[in-house]
Amino acid sequence: MAEHFDLDARPSGEQITKLQDRLQLVWQGAHSDWRDTDSYVNSNYDMWPAHFKGRPKLYTGKASSKLRAATDVLVPFSPKFHRPPPGKGEKHKADANTVENFLARVWTVAGGKEAEEPGKAMWHHLMRYGYAVSAGMFFDESYRRERPRTRGDEKPEEYEARMEIWQETRRNWCPFRYEAPHPASVLMNPFEAIPRVALVSKRMFAVELAEEVERAGKRNRQAYEGYAMKDDPYEVVNCIEFWSAYWRGLMLRSGAMLYVEPNRWGFQPYTHGFAGWGSSAAES
């Protein structure tokens, strides 16, 4: 009898790999179409038939220009936050304004952790592929640093300088993050409006991966599987992140689990949406 993937139960590396293979099969047609779209947007498509390969290629960049113009002009990516005053009077209005300003600042700082503004990136993907993925807000510890400790051969002024940097970083640390990853890097069930499971492909430096696994071990020792970093701390490591409302985990692309822990948030933070340009075909 085929094994049922129970979302309530702790997932294994084998189960996650099987689910990944199945979702890749579901999405392979769309991913192929996206690669064709990329070739036009990036101006590297095959302009001539095979027997004319020697001819020069002159690309206009029209596809990229139209996409960029549509994203810049038609897409609003700076949201407005509104908190109704909880009561009457100037104090309630002032309190509501404070909350609005706080949310606007958190949105700006949390999105600033990404190389590309997430709101704009999401709409760019929606227009480019007809599909977009967003993640968050979720709690983020990646920029958090422990209080510096004194070193045996360190001068007092050197320690004070490191302490000042830590205090400034701590003062401005934002514990939230949101992102708009490339749609091809996240696998979810396309037939679910609110996907129950998300598999996220990630590439991390080995030192970053070691820090992530260590933080998971501090949160929950039972979740910790361990990661042995090799000689090169900046080796790029391919990983798969698993998310459900019950569990979150991280494994190497090879299938070795690094950690699995209960999802204390109680929800799966990755969502998706289609542009609505078409409809399902009869044979689908």
Side-chain angles (χ1 to χ4, degrees):
M1 180 181 293
E3 181 182 1
H4 174 65
F5 186 67
D6 187 357
L7 294 179
D8 294 2
R10 179 188 177 104
S12 66
E14 182 180 4
Q15 289 174 321
I16 295 174
T17 300
K18 287 182 179 179
L19 180 60
Q20 180 189 20
D21 292 341
R22 175 56 60 181
L23 289 175
Q24 284 178 335
L25 185 62
V26 171
W27 280 99
Q28 65 179 2
H31 288 181
S32 177
D33 291 341
W34 295 351
R35 285 190 288 270
D36 290 340
T37 299
D38 288 345
S39 70
Y40 285 93
V41 175
N42 298 330
S43 295
N44 58 11
Y45 59 91
D46 290 332
M47 183 176 291
W48 303 107
H51 54 283
F52 290 135
K53 285 291 186 181
R55 289 188 175 186
K57 299 179 181 180
L58 299 176
Y59 297 103
T60 65
K62 189 174 183 179
S64 177
S65 177
K66 284 191 171 185
L67 178 64
R68 191 165 55 248
T71 305
D72 291 341
V73 176
L74 300 178
V75 176
F77 56 88
S78 296
K80 302 294 183 182
F81 297 92
H82 176 64
R83 164 71 186 274
K88 296 181 179 181
E90 293 300 320
K91 184 179 185 305
H92 289 294
K93 291 182 180 179
D95 291 342
N97 290 337
T98 299
V99 173
E100 292 175 355
N101 293 334
F102 169 77
L103 292 175
R105 181 57 180 166
V106 167
W107 179 270
T108 301
V109 176
K113 294 181 178 182
E114 299 299 310
E116 185 177 6
E117 206 283 326
K120 186 173 181 178
M122 181 183 67
W123 289 106
H124 178 93
H125 295 152
L126 199 64
M127 292 187 174
R128 183 168 183 161
Y129 304 119
Y131 176 75
V133 175
S134 65
M137 296 267 183
F138 46 66
F139 190 73
D140 174 48
E141 297 181 290
S142 60
Y143 286 83
R144 186 179 182 182
R145 293 293 179 266
E146 299 292 337
R147 183 186 184 92
R149 298 180 179 179
T150 56
R151 299 167 181 166
D153 57 346
E154 188 176 38
K155 298 179 181 179
E157 57 269 22
E158 294 175 341
Y159 175 74
E160 291 177 2
R162 290 198 300 120
M163 179 61 74
E164 288 181 4
I165 295 175
W166 177 79
Q167 290 175 339
E168 184 66 21
T169 303
R170 182 177 180 231
R171 187 180 301 113
N172 296 294
W173 176 62
C174 176
F176 303 105
R177 186 188 196 115
Y178 72 99
E179 58 189 38
H182 193 283
S185 68
V186 183
L187 293 173
M188 295 182 284
N189 187 345
F191 307 110
E192 292 180 336
I194 304 176
R196 292 176 294 171
V197 175
L199 299 180
V200 187
S201 296
K202 289 192 170 184
R203 305 184 71 195
M204 307 172 66
F205 288 135
V207 63
E208 295 175 333
L209 180 58
E211 291 176 352
E212 170 66 19
V213 175
E214 182 179 1
R215 284 194 294 267
K218 290 180 179 179
R219 291 193 300 265
N220 186 345
R221 289 303 304 177
Q222 293 180 348
Y224 183 73
E225 299 288 344
Y227 172 69
M229 184 171 58
K230 299 179 181 179
D231 295 335
D232 183 7
Y234 297 105
E235 175 190 8
V236 177
V237 184
N238 294 314
C239 305
I240 301 293
E241 190 174 31
F242 173 89
W243 280 98
S244 75
Y246 305 96
W247 298 92
R248 64 169 297 192
L250 189 68
M251 60 178 275
L252 298 177
R253 184 64 63 87
S254 62
M257 292 299 304
L258 299 177
Y259 69 80
V260 180
E261 63 180 346
N263 183 358
R264 54 185 174 174
W265 304 339
F267 67 93
Q268 193 278 103
Y270 285 81
T271 60
H272 64 175
F274 293 88
W277 293 339
S279 59
S280 300
E283 59 270 17
S284 65

